Amino acid sequence: DTVLTQSPALAVSPGERVSISCRASEGVNSYMHWYQQKPGQQPKLLIYKASNLASGVPARFSGSGSGTDFTLTIDPVEADDTATYFCQQTWNDPLTFGSGTKLEIK
Amino acid sequence: EVQLQQSGAELVKPGASVKLSCKTSGYTFSNYYMSWLKQMPGQNIEWIGNIFGGNGGAGYNQKFKGKATLTVDKSSSTAYMDLSSLTSEDSAVYFCARRGNWGYFDYWGQGVMVTVS
């Protein structure tokens, strides 16, 4: 299975820019997607196919990358962005998720 | 408005089975795949499998073959997942999610907690 590696946690202050990385163990073309999950809630799609903003998602969120290295950027960060962020690949079978990056807003 | 409404929390005994439901509205059920996913407390999300609303054709993650069985009822736009021979390792939150064109999940159910004890 394709393993997606994310850093476990980050802490930033409101108004700053934060980049969350996701590295795949093998190429996934541009079939990388990003989700935000708050405690007790279902995940919410933020970015699909590496760099496309999902409907209703603020333009503060953006995505980049291809192949094996991908980045989700939030600029500027707001207090409400406290959550865990997951990457997901759908190029290789089975589709897999990263272990998540917990973002803390100082 | 697209909505996926899952059934309530389940407490089941080891060795038993459970059937979870995901009732949809706001879109054409038969045009999309529905996936089921597992999330253990504080852990990663695992994809169990997906099923096409139009004909009930299903595909599974090898890890969950024999554990999960996916079905649909087109008449009520509802997807189901049967989990069998439950153990403590099956205690988790289970989500249904609509699968979009490139495999991402654009709409999710609220999740249902299954406790095996």
Side-chain angles (χ1 to χ4, degrees), chain A residues 35 37 42 49 88 90 97-98, chain B residues 39 44 102-103 105 108-109:
Chain A
Y35 299 85
Q37 186 178 34
Q42 66 271 52
K49 218 156 172 285
Q88 174 214 8
T90 56
F97 287 81
Chain B
Q39 187 173 35
N44 198 1
W102 292 281
F105 301 118
W108 295 65

Side-chain angles (χ1 to χ4, degrees), chain B residues 28-34 50-59 70-75:
Chain B
T28 304
F29 182 77
S30 58
N31 287 352
Y32 288 85
Y33 281 90
M34 183 70 73
N50 53 217
I51 186 165
F52 187 56
N55 62 9
L70 306 185
T71 56
V72 295
D73 176 359
K74 284 199 299 182
S75 68

Side-chain angles (χ1 to χ4, degrees), chain B residues 18-86:
Chain B
V18 69
K19 188 169 187 172
L20 309 181
S21 67
C22 175
K23 183 169 178 57
T24 73
S25 60
Y27 74 98
T28 304
F29 182 77
S30 58
N31 287 352
Y32 288 85
Y33 281 90
M34 183 70 73
S35 275
W36 289 85
L37 303 107
K38 175 184 181 183
Q39 187 173 35
M40 296 179 76
Q43 295 199 29
N44 198 1
I45 302 169
E46 296 180 279
W47 174 70
I48 295 170
N50 53 217
I51 186 165
F52 187 56
N55 62 9
Y60 297 88
N61 183 338
Q62 185 70 30
K63 177 178 178 180
F64 292 94
K65 283 185 177 178
K67 170 62 65 177
T69 303
L70 306 185
T71 56
V72 295
D73 176 359
K74 284 199 299 182
S75 68
S76 63
S77 300
T78 302
Y80 298 93
M81 178 172 68
D82 272 289
L83 296 170
S84 62
S85 304
L86 292 165

Side-chain angles (χ1 to χ4, degrees), chain A residues 36-38 40-44, chain B residues 4 39 95 108-111:
Chain A
Q36 176 193 67
Q37 186 178 34
K38 297 182 178 181
Q41 296 185 17
Q42 66 271 52
K44 173 188 175 183
Chain B
L4 281 63
Q39 187 173 35
F95 295 98
W108 295 65
Q110 80 276 23

Side-chain angles (χ1 to χ4, degrees), chain B residues 89-112:
Chain B
E89 288 299 303
D90 298 313
S91 292
V93 175
Y94 291 87
F95 295 98
C96 59
R98 192 180 81 165
R99 189 162 172 165
N101 289 337
W102 292 281
Y104 57 78
F105 301 118
D106 54 0
Y107 291 94
W108 295 65
Q110 80 276 23
V112 57

